[in-house]
Every structure is written in C-alpha cells, then in structure tokens.
Amino acid sequence: ISLRTLWPLNSDAWKQLLLGYGIALVAGQAMIGFYLAGNGFTSAHLSASAIASRLVIALVAALIVPLLEETIFRGFLQTELVGSLGWSTGWIFAAVIFMAVHFLKVPSEMDHQPVHFWSGVPALGAAFGSMANVADHGWFMLSLLLLGLTLGLTFQRSGTLWLNAGLHSGLVFIMLLFTGLTRPTEPPNVAFFRGDIQTNPPATNEAVEKLN
C-alpha cells in the first residue's frame, strides 16, 4: 500500500476531513462533559503568553500527530495485520498496539544505568510499567482502545485516512487545549457519579482561620 492510496488528493478529501472535524467537535464536547460530571474544573489562570503557547502547541500537535499516527497505525500496521490475521483479529490487535504505544516511556532513572546486551528487556518492561496501574490509568487505557477501534473501523469503511485525520486532529486539539487551559478542582465542584453536588468546595482550615 502506498501513501498516495492512503492520502488520495481528490475532491472527497476535503469533505472527509471536514466531516472528521465535525464528528470530533461533538465527540470532544461529550468527552469533556463526562469528565466534568466526575471532576469539575477551574481556569489555570495563565498569562496571555502562556495561553498563546498552549494554543500553538495544540495546533502543531493537531496537525502533525494525526498524520503520523494514522499513517503508521491504520495505514500500514492495521493493513498488514488485517491481511495476515483477518479483519476482526487484525483490527483489534492494531487498536491494542495503538493503546499500548501511548504508554511507552522509559523511566528517567534508567538513563544513567550501565548498558548491557540484555538492557532492552528491563527497559521495555519498565516502559510499559504504567499500564499495570489500572486504578490510575484504566479510563485512559479504555479511551485509547476505543479510539483505536473507532479509527480502525473508519479507515476500513472509508478506504482512505482523510476522515481519520479530521477526527483524530480535532480530538487532539480539543483535549490539549482543554487540559492546557484548565485544571481539576480539588475537591471536585461537580460529582454527579458520586451522587452529590457541591457548588463551592468546602473551606480549608487556613481559610477559616483567616476569616476569624
């Protein structure tokens, strides 16, 4: 399979790209809504230059990351796996790899350790060590797996990566901008999943002492 096949420059390319952005807008709003239902957020109170920096980072990531990831994970990896293992197995396996790679990070404390012939074995185990902490990363792992499955199915149905690019790019931009400009409230202002609603967080002991 060639890049020209994955990214055909025809009249349908822009239509699929814009459709992907539209779907991403709706999906991104839904994801933020679910997040707010469990946590709540407040402004990060950044300076104008910091806000501009976050915006540039989100734009650059939204333009570059989807092109690379869609070409690698859907265009080449999923195509090869589906051809070798069949549609359903290859599709699921590609999504699992897509999810796992996002956790691939060698801990910084291993940078200064001596390098041996077998050093790659513990490094690889440590790189995926965060995946074992399901309590902290479970929802993130599930969301990445569902995203990989969705993008894989979209590519299979459309035959090109333009729709994937719009969907992936829109989600990256929305989520990076949201997480870059806000921070979770502690304790949460809104907690529908726990059955309670707090319009204001309880005052801390320090705040009470200042009032007195």
PDB file of all heavy atoms in Angstrom, residues 167-199:
ATOM      1  N   LEU A 167     -10.925  13.530  12.318  1.00  0.00           N
ATOM      2  CA  LEU A 167     -11.414  13.075  13.622  1.00  0.00           C
ATOM      3  C   LEU A 167     -10.296  13.091  14.663  1.00  0.00           C
ATOM      4  O   LEU A 167     -10.454  13.632  15.763  1.00  0.00           O
ATOM      5  CB  LEU A 167     -11.990  11.665  13.486  1.00  0.00           C
ATOM      6  CG  LEU A 167     -12.559  11.001  14.736  1.00  0.00           C
ATOM      7  CD1 LEU A 167     -13.654  11.852  15.349  1.00  0.00           C
ATOM      8  CD2 LEU A 167     -13.084   9.609  14.408  1.00  0.00           C
ATOM      9  N   HIS A 168      -9.158  12.538  14.322  1.00  0.00           N
ATOM     10  CA  HIS A 168      -8.014  12.462  15.231  1.00  0.00           C
ATOM     11  C   HIS A 168      -7.482  13.856  15.548  1.00  0.00           C
ATOM     12  O   HIS A 168      -7.199  14.197  16.713  1.00  0.00           O
ATOM     13  CB  HIS A 168      -6.924  11.605  14.586  1.00  0.00           C
ATOM     14  CG  HIS A 168      -5.921  11.084  15.545  1.00  0.00           C
ATOM     15  ND1 HIS A 168      -5.157   9.961  15.288  1.00  0.00           N
ATOM     16  CD2 HIS A 168      -5.508  11.517  16.765  1.00  0.00           C
ATOM     17  CE1 HIS A 168      -4.344   9.731  16.308  1.00  0.00           C
ATOM     18  NE2 HIS A 168      -4.536  10.674  17.204  1.00  0.00           N
ATOM     19  N   SER A 169      -7.342  14.688  14.532  1.00  0.00           N
ATOM     20  CA  SER A 169      -6.819  16.038  14.709  1.00  0.00           C
ATOM     21  C   SER A 169      -7.736  16.881  15.595  1.00  0.00           C
ATOM     22  O   SER A 169      -7.275  17.593  16.494  1.00  0.00           O
ATOM     23  CB  SER A 169      -6.642  16.716  13.348  1.00  0.00           C
ATOM     24  OG  SER A 169      -6.193  18.044  13.501  1.00  0.00           O
ATOM     25  N   GLY A 170      -9.034  16.794  15.352  1.00  0.00           N
ATOM     26  CA  GLY A 170      -9.978  17.568  16.156  1.00  0.00           C
ATOM     27  C   GLY A 170      -9.957  17.174  17.612  1.00  0.00           C
ATOM     28  O   GLY A 170      -9.980  18.034  18.512  1.00  0.00           O
ATOM     29  N   LEU A 171      -9.887  15.876  17.888  1.00  0.00           N
ATOM     30  CA  LEU A 171      -9.853  15.399  19.270  1.00  0.00           C
ATOM     31  C   LEU A 171      -8.568  15.823  19.974  1.00  0.00           C
ATOM     32  O   LEU A 171      -8.590  16.234  21.138  1.00  0.00           O
ATOM     33  CB  LEU A 171      -9.995  13.878  19.302  1.00  0.00           C
ATOM     34  CG  LEU A 171     -11.384  13.329  18.973  1.00  0.00           C
ATOM     35  CD1 LEU A 171     -11.350  11.797  18.907  1.00  0.00           C
ATOM     36  CD2 LEU A 171     -12.417  13.781  20.010  1.00  0.00           C
ATOM     37  N   VAL A 172      -7.435  15.720  19.264  1.00  0.00           N
ATOM     38  CA  VAL A 172      -6.161  16.130  19.853  1.00  0.00           C
ATOM     39  C   VAL A 172      -6.195  17.610  20.219  1.00  0.00           C
ATOM     40  O   VAL A 172      -5.786  18.007  21.316  1.00  0.00           O
ATOM     41  CB  VAL A 172      -4.994  15.844  18.872  1.00  0.00           C
ATOM     42  CG1 VAL A 172      -3.711  16.545  19.327  1.00  0.00           C
ATOM     43  CG2 VAL A 172      -4.749  14.350  18.772  1.00  0.00           C
ATOM     44  N   PHE A 173      -6.699  18.448  19.300  1.00  0.00           N
ATOM     45  CA  PHE A 173      -6.737  19.884  19.550  1.00  0.00           C
ATOM     46  C   PHE A 173      -7.646  20.228  20.730  1.00  0.00           C
ATOM     47  O   PHE A 173      -7.266  20.991  21.624  1.00  0.00           O
ATOM     48  CB  PHE A 173      -7.210  20.617  18.298  1.00  0.00           C
ATOM     49  CG  PHE A 173      -7.289  22.108  18.473  1.00  0.00           C
ATOM     50  CD1 PHE A 173      -6.136  22.868  18.483  1.00  0.00           C
ATOM     51  CD2 PHE A 173      -8.511  22.737  18.639  1.00  0.00           C
ATOM     52  CE1 PHE A 173      -6.197  24.248  18.651  1.00  0.00           C
ATOM     53  CE2 PHE A 173      -8.585  24.113  18.811  1.00  0.00           C
ATOM     54  CZ  PHE A 173      -7.422  24.872  18.814  1.00  0.00           C
ATOM     55  N   ILE A 174      -8.837  19.660  20.744  1.00  0.00           N
ATOM     56  CA  ILE A 174      -9.797  19.965  21.803  1.00  0.00           C
ATOM     57  C   ILE A 174      -9.273  19.543  23.171  1.00  0.00           C
ATOM     58  O   ILE A 174      -9.308  20.310  24.145  1.00  0.00           O
ATOM     59  CB  ILE A 174     -11.155  19.287  21.517  1.00  0.00           C
ATOM     60  CG1 ILE A 174     -11.830  19.933  20.312  1.00  0.00           C
ATOM     61  CG2 ILE A 174     -12.082  19.379  22.745  1.00  0.00           C
ATOM     62  CD1 ILE A 174     -13.061  19.191  19.836  1.00  0.00           C
ATOM     63  N   MET A 175      -8.751  18.332  23.270  1.00  0.00           N
ATOM     64  CA  MET A 175      -8.324  17.820  24.563  1.00  0.00           C
ATOM     65  C   MET A 175      -7.054  18.510  25.054  1.00  0.00           C
ATOM     66  O   MET A 175      -6.916  18.806  26.248  1.00  0.00           O
ATOM     67  CB  MET A 175      -8.117  16.302  24.494  1.00  0.00           C
ATOM     68  CG  MET A 175      -9.374  15.526  24.139  1.00  0.00           C
ATOM     69  SD  MET A 175     -10.856  15.996  25.099  1.00  0.00           S
ATOM     70  CE  MET A 175     -10.359  15.551  26.760  1.00  0.00           C
ATOM     71  N   LEU A 176      -6.105  18.807  24.155  1.00  0.00           N
ATOM     72  CA  LEU A 176      -4.894  19.502  24.577  1.00  0.00           C
ATOM     73  C   LEU A 176      -5.210  20.925  25.022  1.00  0.00           C
ATOM     74  O   LEU A 176      -4.634  21.418  26.002  1.00  0.00           O
ATOM     75  CB  LEU A 176      -3.874  19.537  23.438  1.00  0.00           C
ATOM     76  CG  LEU A 176      -3.077  18.266  23.187  1.00  0.00           C
ATOM     77  CD1 LEU A 176      -2.074  18.484  22.050  1.00  0.00           C
ATOM     78  CD2 LEU A 176      -2.335  17.822  24.444  1.00  0.00           C
ATOM     79  N   LEU A 177      -6.116  21.569  24.313  1.00  0.00           N
ATOM     80  CA  LEU A 177      -6.471  22.932  24.690  1.00  0.00           C
ATOM     81  C   LEU A 177      -7.220  22.945  26.015  1.00  0.00           C
ATOM     82  O   LEU A 177      -6.962  23.786  26.885  1.00  0.00           O
ATOM     83  CB  LEU A 177      -7.334  23.561  23.588  1.00  0.00           C
ATOM     84  CG  LEU A 177      -7.382  25.096  23.571  1.00  0.00           C
ATOM     85  CD1 LEU A 177      -5.998  25.674  23.378  1.00  0.00           C
ATOM     86  CD2 LEU A 177      -8.310  25.586  22.474  1.00  0.00           C
ATOM     87  N   PHE A 178      -8.118  21.990  26.210  1.00  0.00           N
ATOM     88  CA  PHE A 178      -8.883  21.921  27.451  1.00  0.00           C
ATOM     89  C   PHE A 178      -7.980  21.640  28.643  1.00  0.00           C
ATOM     90  O   PHE A 178      -8.035  22.328  29.665  1.00  0.00           O
ATOM     91  CB  PHE A 178      -9.957  20.848  27.337  1.00  0.00           C
ATOM     92  CG  PHE A 178     -10.746  20.631  28.605  1.00  0.00           C
ATOM     93  CD1 PHE A 178     -11.690  21.554  29.013  1.00  0.00           C
ATOM     94  CD2 PHE A 178     -10.521  19.514  29.386  1.00  0.00           C
ATOM     95  CE1 PHE A 178     -12.399  21.368  30.189  1.00  0.00           C
ATOM     96  CE2 PHE A 178     -11.236  19.307  30.552  1.00  0.00           C
ATOM     97  CZ  PHE A 178     -12.169  20.242  30.957  1.00  0.00           C
ATOM     98  N   THR A 179      -7.133  20.620  28.522  1.00  0.00           N
ATOM     99  CA  THR A 179      -6.255  20.276  29.641  1.00  0.00           C
ATOM    100  C   THR A 179      -5.159  21.309  29.855  1.00  0.00           C
ATOM    101  O   THR A 179      -4.631  21.439  30.961  1.00  0.00           O
ATOM    102  CB  THR A 179      -5.609  18.894  29.412  1.00  0.00           C
ATOM    103  OG1 THR A 179      -4.907  18.891  28.152  1.00  0.00           O
ATOM    104  CG2 THR A 179      -6.669  17.802  29.390  1.00  0.00           C
ATOM    105  N   GLY A 180      -4.806  22.056  28.805  1.00  0.00           N
ATOM    106  CA  GLY A 180      -3.770  23.073  28.943  1.00  0.00           C
ATOM    107  C   GLY A 180      -4.243  24.352  29.585  1.00  0.00           C
ATOM    108  O   GLY A 180      -3.455  25.061  30.216  1.00  0.00           O
ATOM    109  N   LEU A 181      -5.521  24.656  29.433  1.00  0.00           N
ATOM    110  CA  LEU A 181      -6.053  25.922  29.949  1.00  0.00           C
ATOM    111  C   LEU A 181      -6.865  25.769  31.228  1.00  0.00           C
ATOM    112  O   LEU A 181      -7.307  26.766  31.795  1.00  0.00           O
ATOM    113  CB  LEU A 181      -6.922  26.605  28.882  1.00  0.00           C
ATOM    114  CG  LEU A 181      -6.234  26.940  27.566  1.00  0.00           C
ATOM    115  CD1 LEU A 181      -7.203  27.626  26.622  1.00  0.00           C
ATOM    116  CD2 LEU A 181      -5.000  27.824  27.800  1.00  0.00           C
ATOM    117  N   THR A 182      -7.079  24.548  31.678  1.00  0.00           N
ATOM    118  CA  THR A 182      -7.864  24.327  32.887  1.00  0.00           C
ATOM    119  C   THR A 182      -7.124  23.377  33.816  1.00  0.00           C
ATOM    120  O   THR A 182      -6.116  22.780  33.443  1.00  0.00           O
ATOM    121  CB  THR A 182      -9.234  23.722  32.554  1.00  0.00           C
ATOM    122  OG1 THR A 182      -9.056  22.405  32.000  1.00  0.00           O
ATOM    123  CG2 THR A 182     -10.002  24.579  31.564  1.00  0.00           C
ATOM    124  N   ARG A 183      -7.620  23.244  35.004  1.00  0.00           N
ATOM    125  CA  ARG A 183      -7.096  22.250  35.946  1.00  0.00           C
ATOM    126  C   ARG A 183      -8.262  21.710  36.755  1.00  0.00           C
ATOM    127  O   ARG A 183      -9.260  22.417  36.986  1.00  0.00           O
ATOM    128  CB  ARG A 183      -6.036  22.859  36.866  1.00  0.00           C
ATOM    129  CG  ARG A 183      -6.531  24.017  37.719  1.00  0.00           C
ATOM    130  CD  ARG A 183      -5.422  24.545  38.610  1.00  0.00           C
ATOM    131  NE  ARG A 183      -5.841  25.696  39.377  1.00  0.00           N
ATOM    132  CZ  ARG A 183      -6.536  25.644  40.512  1.00  0.00           C
ATOM    133  NH1 ARG A 183      -6.889  24.466  40.992  1.00  0.00           N
ATOM    134  NH2 ARG A 183      -6.877  26.742  41.161  1.00  0.00           N
ATOM    135  N   PRO A 184      -8.167  20.455  37.207  1.00  0.00           N
ATOM    136  CA  PRO A 184      -9.260  19.878  38.003  1.00  0.00           C
ATOM    137  C   PRO A 184      -9.399  20.603  39.333  1.00  0.00           C
ATOM    138  O   PRO A 184      -8.421  21.090  39.897  1.00  0.00           O
ATOM    139  CB  PRO A 184      -8.820  18.419  38.213  1.00  0.00           C
ATOM    140  CG  PRO A 184      -7.777  18.174  37.184  1.00  0.00           C
ATOM    141  CD  PRO A 184      -7.100  19.480  36.943  1.00  0.00           C
ATOM    142  N   THR A 185     -10.617  20.676  39.833  1.00  0.00           N
ATOM    143  CA  THR A 185     -10.847  21.260  41.151  1.00  0.00           C
ATOM    144  C   THR A 185     -10.669  20.188  42.215  1.00  0.00           C
ATOM    145  O   THR A 185     -11.025  19.041  42.023  1.00  0.00           O
ATOM    146  CB  THR A 185     -12.261  21.841  41.262  1.00  0.00           C
ATOM    147  OG1 THR A 185     -13.204  20.824  40.915  1.00  0.00           O
ATOM    148  CG2 THR A 185     -12.437  23.016  40.341  1.00  0.00           C
ATOM    149  N   GLU A 186     -10.090  20.563  43.328  1.00  0.00           N
ATOM    150  CA  GLU A 186      -9.876  19.646  44.446  1.00  0.00           C
ATOM    151  C   GLU A 186     -10.456  20.246  45.714  1.00  0.00           C
ATOM    152  O   GLU A 186      -9.945  21.234  46.218  1.00  0.00           O
ATOM    153  CB  GLU A 186      -8.381  19.385  44.641  1.00  0.00           C
ATOM    154  CG  GLU A 186      -7.744  18.635  43.505  1.00  0.00           C
ATOM    155  CD  GLU A 186      -8.226  17.198  43.380  1.00  0.00           C
ATOM    156  OE1 GLU A 186      -8.833  16.704  44.361  1.00  0.00           O
ATOM    157  OE2 GLU A 186      -8.017  16.590  42.331  1.00  0.00           O
ATOM    158  N   PRO A 187     -11.510  19.688  46.293  1.00  0.00           N
ATOM    159  CA  PRO A 187     -12.292  18.575  45.779  1.00  0.00           C
ATOM    160  C   PRO A 187     -13.159  19.012  44.606  1.00  0.00           C
ATOM    161  O   PRO A 187     -13.331  20.206  44.405  1.00  0.00           O
ATOM    162  CB  PRO A 187     -13.167  18.187  46.987  1.00  0.00           C
ATOM    163  CG  PRO A 187     -13.323  19.466  47.725  1.00  0.00           C
ATOM    164  CD  PRO A 187     -12.020  20.196  47.574  1.00  0.00           C
ATOM    165  N   PRO A 188     -13.699  18.092  43.832  1.00  0.00           N
ATOM    166  CA  PRO A 188     -14.493  18.465  42.654  1.00  0.00           C
ATOM    167  C   PRO A 188     -15.692  19.322  43.016  1.00  0.00           C
ATOM    168  O   PRO A 188     -16.336  19.109  44.035  1.00  0.00           O
ATOM    169  CB  PRO A 188     -14.934  17.108  42.078  1.00  0.00           C
ATOM    170  CG  PRO A 188     -13.945  16.136  42.609  1.00  0.00           C
ATOM    171  CD  PRO A 188     -13.572  16.640  43.972  1.00  0.00           C
ATOM    172  N   ASN A 189     -15.984  20.314  42.172  1.00  0.00           N
ATOM    173  CA  ASN A 189     -17.187  21.127  42.355  1.00  0.00           C
ATOM    174  C   ASN A 189     -18.433  20.348  41.962  1.00  0.00           C
ATOM    175  O   ASN A 189     -19.515  20.589  42.477  1.00  0.00           O
ATOM    176  CB  ASN A 189     -17.099  22.400  41.508  1.00  0.00           C
ATOM    177  CG  ASN A 189     -16.160  23.415  42.114  1.00  0.00           C
ATOM    178  OD1 ASN A 189     -15.870  23.338  43.316  1.00  0.00           O
ATOM    179  ND2 ASN A 189     -15.677  24.344  41.320  1.00  0.00           N
ATOM    180  N   VAL A 190     -18.275  19.451  40.990  1.00  0.00           N
ATOM    181  CA  VAL A 190     -19.403  18.678  40.496  1.00  0.00           C
ATOM    182  C   VAL A 190     -19.030  17.208  40.559  1.00  0.00           C
ATOM    183  O   VAL A 190     -17.951  16.823  40.139  1.00  0.00           O
ATOM    184  CB  VAL A 190     -19.748  19.063  39.037  1.00  0.00           C
ATOM    185  CG1 VAL A 190     -20.953  18.262  38.555  1.00  0.00           C
ATOM    186  CG2 VAL A 190     -20.029  20.541  38.940  1.00  0.00           C
ATOM    187  N   ALA A 191     -19.893  16.381  41.111  1.00  0.00           N
ATOM    188  CA  ALA A 191     -19.593  14.958  41.227  1.00  0.00           C
ATOM    189  C   ALA A 191     -20.870  14.154  41.097  1.00  0.00           C
ATOM    190  O   ALA A 191     -21.330  13.524  42.027  1.00  0.00           O
ATOM    191  CB  ALA A 191     -18.912  14.669  42.561  1.00  0.00           C
ATOM    192  N   PHE A 192     -21.478  14.177  39.917  1.00  0.00           N
ATOM    193  CA  PHE A 192     -22.748  13.503  39.701  1.00  0.00           C
ATOM    194  C   PHE A 192     -22.629  11.998  39.915  1.00  0.00           C
ATOM    195  O   PHE A 192     -23.550  11.356  40.389  1.00  0.00           O
ATOM    196  CB  PHE A 192     -23.250  13.772  38.277  1.00  0.00           C
ATOM    197  CG  PHE A 192     -23.617  15.199  38.039  1.00  0.00           C
ATOM    198  CD1 PHE A 192     -22.847  16.000  37.220  1.00  0.00           C
ATOM    199  CD2 PHE A 192     -24.739  15.746  38.650  1.00  0.00           C
ATOM    200  CE1 PHE A 192     -23.191  17.320  36.995  1.00  0.00           C
ATOM    201  CE2 PHE A 192     -25.087  17.072  38.418  1.00  0.00           C
ATOM    202  CZ  PHE A 192     -24.315  17.859  37.599  1.00  0.00           C
ATOM    203  N   PHE A 193     -21.480  11.431  39.541  1.00  0.00           N
ATOM    204  CA  PHE A 193     -21.329   9.988  39.651  1.00  0.00           C
ATOM    205  C   PHE A 193     -21.271   9.521  41.092  1.00  0.00           C
ATOM    206  O   PHE A 193     -21.436   8.351  41.374  1.00  0.00           O
ATOM    207  CB  PHE A 193     -20.069   9.530  38.913  1.00  0.00           C
ATOM    208  CG  PHE A 193     -20.173   9.719  37.419  1.00  0.00           C
ATOM    209  CD1 PHE A 193     -19.035   9.873  36.652  1.00  0.00           C
ATOM    210  CD2 PHE A 193     -21.414   9.748  36.787  1.00  0.00           C
ATOM    211  CE1 PHE A 193     -19.121  10.043  35.285  1.00  0.00           C
ATOM    212  CE2 PHE A 193     -21.513   9.914  35.424  1.00  0.00           C
ATOM    213  CZ  PHE A 193     -20.364  10.069  34.672  1.00  0.00           C
ATOM    214  N   ARG A 194     -20.980  10.426  42.027  1.00  0.00           N
ATOM    215  CA  ARG A 194     -20.944  10.037  43.431  1.00  0.00           C
ATOM    216  C   ARG A 194     -22.248  10.400  44.144  1.00  0.00           C
ATOM    217  O   ARG A 194     -22.382  10.194  45.342  1.00  0.00           O
ATOM    218  CB  ARG A 194     -19.783  10.727  44.149  1.00  0.00           C
ATOM    219  CG  ARG A 194     -18.424  10.278  43.670  1.00  0.00           C
ATOM    220  CD  ARG A 194     -17.395  10.508  44.771  1.00  0.00           C
ATOM    221  NE  ARG A 194     -17.502  11.836  45.352  1.00  0.00           N
ATOM    222  CZ  ARG A 194     -16.839  12.895  44.917  1.00  0.00           C
ATOM    223  NH1 ARG A 194     -16.040  12.779  43.875  1.00  0.00           N
ATOM    224  NH2 ARG A 194     -16.974  14.056  45.506  1.00  0.00           N
ATOM    225  N   GLY A 195     -23.156  11.019  43.407  1.00  0.00           N
ATOM    226  CA  GLY A 195     -24.459  11.317  43.981  1.00  0.00           C
ATOM    227  C   GLY A 195     -24.521  12.599  44.768  1.00  0.00           C
ATOM    228  O   GLY A 195     -25.498  12.874  45.445  1.00  0.00           O
ATOM    229  N   ASP A 196     -23.477  13.426  44.714  1.00  0.00           N
ATOM    230  CA  ASP A 196     -23.524  14.689  45.438  1.00  0.00           C
ATOM    231  C   ASP A 196     -23.111  15.817  44.515  1.00  0.00           C
ATOM    232  O   ASP A 196     -22.376  15.630  43.568  1.00  0.00           O
ATOM    233  CB  ASP A 196     -22.613  14.660  46.674  1.00  0.00           C
ATOM    234  CG  ASP A 196     -21.157  14.461  46.287  1.00  0.00           C
ATOM    235  OD1 ASP A 196     -20.913  13.749  45.294  1.00  0.00           O
ATOM    236  OD2 ASP A 196     -20.278  15.005  46.971  1.00  0.00           O
ATOM    237  N   ILE A 197     -23.613  17.012  44.805  1.00  0.00           N
ATOM    238  CA  ILE A 197     -23.305  18.185  44.007  1.00  0.00           C
ATOM    239  C   ILE A 197     -22.857  19.285  44.947  1.00  0.00           C
ATOM    240  O   ILE A 197     -23.570  19.640  45.880  1.00  0.00           O
ATOM    241  CB  ILE A 197     -24.525  18.667  43.191  1.00  0.00           C
ATOM    242  CG1 ILE A 197     -25.010  17.558  42.254  1.00  0.00           C
ATOM    243  CG2 ILE A 197     -24.184  19.923  42.407  1.00  0.00           C
ATOM    244  CD1 ILE A 197     -26.251  17.936  41.483  1.00  0.00           C
ATOM    245  N   GLN A 198     -21.681  19.838  44.698  1.00  0.00           N
ATOM    246  CA  GLN A 198     -21.166  20.923  45.510  1.00  0.00           C
ATOM    247  C   GLN A 198     -20.956  22.133  44.614  1.00  0.00           C
ATOM    248  O   GLN A 198     -20.196  22.067  43.656  1.00  0.00           O
ATOM    249  CB  GLN A 198     -19.826  20.526  46.151  1.00  0.00           C
ATOM    250  CG  GLN A 198     -19.942  19.407  47.171  1.00  0.00           C
ATOM    251  CD  GLN A 198     -18.569  19.049  47.715  1.00  0.00           C
ATOM    252  OE1 GLN A 198     -18.326  17.930  48.065  1.00  0.00           O
ATOM    253  NE2 GLN A 198     -17.678  19.995  47.795  1.00  0.00           N
ATOM    254  N   THR A 199     -21.620  23.216  44.893  1.00  0.00           N
ATOM    255  CA  THR A 199     -21.425  24.409  44.083  1.00  0.00           C
ATOM    256  C   THR A 199     -20.143  25.122  44.464  1.00  0.00           C
ATOM    257  O   THR A 199     -19.562  25.845  43.674  1.00  0.00           O
ATOM    258  CB  THR A 199     -22.599  25.382  44.266  1.00  0.00           C
ATOM    259  OG1 THR A 199     -22.749  25.665  45.660  1.00  0.00           O
ATOM    260  CG2 THR A 199     -23.878  24.762  43.756  1.00  0.00           C
TER     261      THR A 199
END
